[in-house]
Amino acid sequence: MSLQIFTNPSHGLAQVFYSKKIPCRVKLSRVLATPQSSILLQMDESNNNLPKSKKGFGLSEDSRSSLNKLSADSMLRQANTVGIIGGISTDSTLNFVRKLEDWSSKDGKSSLPFVLCSDPILNKELLLYEENSYPSLYHRIKRTPPDQNQIVENLRNKRRSLERCGAKLILMPCHIAHTWYDEVCEGSSVPMLHMGDCIVKELEEAKMKPLEAGNPLRVGVMASSATLSAGFYQEKLQNNGFEAVLPDKATMEHTVIPAIEAMKRDDMEGARNLLRIALQVLLVQAVNVVVLGSDEMRDLLPGDDPLLKKCVDPMDALARSAIKWAESLS
């Protein structure tokens, strides 16, 4: 496993948890607009031989020896430190981090300290799992199905690393990773937020009234086939008195999957129009609001699109819930 640490240059030498049992490559680099109390980890859990460090970045043997002597929890000691496990898309993860920092630093407050752990191998495993849920899109390419046990263990390893780094709350800003939420948080020494719980709580607080009197409030769920098949958004909604409404087979086959096909060939306008149709099909079924459980779909619509006013983003709910958790400590 290779490990890269990126931290604010004003810190000097970063404090890094470094295991003697695992060969590890440690680098220091600059990260712009990162709180001084925050650290970004990039981990590669492949078994490939580690490439040599570029000149000026590698640590000497003496430095490595010093890092070995650091206590496991010596990275961040703040009680409100958040640990973040990166998901399929690096851009989506960083967008989440930017929101977390911007929203937590309003009104002159200090932004939340965080540890971000990103692993390109895990990213590829999650992406492959999601792509396999659309066999029609990738039938020309022979793909080996991802090992779900390996994905779970990889996610657990990230969670454990974040705990050792001093994280007091774990976040997974990735829809598909929540497929294995229960397995990943098993044995965790700190709480771990579920995006489904976060979005349900906000829907309850909104106190919306059903569009059809006498019926439960209906909430649409628009997401990838893999996320819909996992069923965690539907389960969270139904367990809290909401009625979950999903795209039917025809909508998936004629709008959602073609929208994804259009994205793959960079036809963003076509994909955008198809997504609008799919959302409207849900909304005409007396749905109050649609949970948009896909980063790709969310990014398709411009910020001023009227349909977005009818959608809620679990990623945003996760960020707001983490900030509320931190505020509850003060």
Side-chain angles (χ1 to χ4, degrees):
M1 176 174 69
S2 63
L3 173 66
Q4 291 181 309
I5 305 301
F6 299 90
T7 187
N8 193 296
S10 65
H11 282 189
L13 179 65
Q15 294 182 334
V16 183
F17 176 73
Y18 179 80
S19 172
K20 294 181 181 180
K21 297 180 181 179
I22 304 174
C24 200
R25 176 164 50 89
V26 183
K27 292 185 180 181
L28 301 182
S29 182
R30 296 188 177 190
V31 169
L32 299 178
T34 301
Q36 293 190 3
S37 56
S38 299
I39 298 171
L40 286 77
L41 311 180
Q42 184 171 344
M43 307 172 73
D44 182 356
E45 296 204 353
S46 64
N47 294 322
N48 300 329
N49 293 330
L50 297 177
K52 293 182 180 179
S53 298
K54 296 180 180 179
K55 185 177 180 180
F57 285 91
L59 295 181
S60 66
E61 290 301 319
D62 289 341
S63 296
R64 287 175 179 250
S65 177
S66 297
L67 291 173
N68 283 335
K69 298 176 182 178
L70 289 171
S71 62
D73 62 349
S74 61
M75 278 184 134
L76 296 173
R77 296 183 181 277
Q78 293 93 323
N80 61 343
T81 298
V82 173
I84 304 169
I85 302 175
I88 291 178
S89 165
T90 301
D91 288 342
S92 176
T93 300
L94 293 178
N95 184 50
F96 173 82
V97 170
R98 280 191 290 269
K99 287 182 178 180
L100 186 66
E101 179 168 346
D102 290 345
W103 295 350
S104 66
S105 59
K106 288 182 179 179
D107 303 322
K109 299 178 182 177
S110 298
S111 58
L112 287 182
F114 66 86
V115 188
L116 169 59
C117 184
S118 177
D119 177 5
I121 300 300
L122 175 61
N123 298 357
K124 291 178 182 178
E125 289 173 345
L126 293 172
L127 179 60
L128 179 59
Y129 181 86
E130 185 167 69
E131 288 179 346
N132 275 17
S133 70
Y134 296 107
S136 62
L137 300 182
Y138 306 98
H139 64 279
R140 299 183 185 89
I141 304 174
K142 292 183 179 180
R143 296 175 181 268
T144 303
D147 185 343
Q148 294 192 48
N149 292 328
Q150 182 176 326
I151 293 175
V152 169
E153 189 57 31
N154 202 338
L155 287 167
R156 280 177 178 164
N157 286 340
K158 302 299 176 292
R159 190 213 76 212
R160 296 183 187 112
S161 296
L162 293 171
E163 290 177 27
R164 289 194 294 264
C165 290
K168 302 300 187 295
L169 179 73
I170 305 296
L171 309 177
M172 286 196 302
C174 174
H175 301 282
I176 198 62
H178 279 68
T179 302
W180 308 279
Y181 171 87
D182 291 336
E183 294 93 327
V184 175
C185 68
E186 184 179 349
S188 178
S189 62
V190 300
M192 185 171 173
L193 293 183
H194 191 296
M195 286 202 292
D197 290 328
C198 297
I199 199 69
V200 163
K201 186 174 182 180
E202 291 196 350
L203 288 173
E204 289 176 331
E205 291 172 348
K207 298 186 182 303
M208 291 181 287
K209 295 182 179 180
L211 297 181
E212 293 182 344
N215 292 327
L217 192 143
R218 310 189 85 194
V219 178
V221 181
M222 180 65 67
S224 69
S225 290
T227 299
L228 291 176
S229 296
F232 50 85
Y233 283 128
Q234 301 95 292
E235 180 182 353
K236 296 291 184 181
L237 288 166
Q238 291 166 357
N239 288 347
N240 288 275
F242 298 99
E243 180 181 348
V245 181
L246 309 183
D248 59 19
K249 183 178 179 181
T251 302
M252 291 297 293
E253 290 181 351
H254 299 299
T255 58
V256 178
I257 292 178
I260 295 171
E261 289 176 331
M263 280 190 282
K264 298 302 179 184
R265 61 175 183 267
D266 293 327
D267 177 12
M268 295 307 178
E269 186 60 30
R272 190 173 298 116
N273 290 334
L274 287 166
L275 175 60
R276 287 183 176 126
I277 294 172
L279 290 172
Q280 288 166 348
V281 169
L282 281 180
L283 290 169
V284 297
Q285 300 178 61
V287 164
N288 285 64
V289 68
V290 176
V291 173
L292 204 49
S294 167
D295 297 332
E296 284 186 317
M297 295 179 188
R298 178 199 61 199
D299 293 340
L300 269 179
L301 299 177
D304 59 352
D305 194 302
L307 280 174
L308 273 184
K309 295 180 181 179
K310 289 289 187 177
C311 297
V312 289
D313 186 349
M315 292 279 201
D316 290 353
L318 181 66
R320 286 189 288 265
S321 295
I323 293 169
K324 289 181 179 178
W325 167 83
E327 291 173 345
S328 71
L329 302 176
S330 57

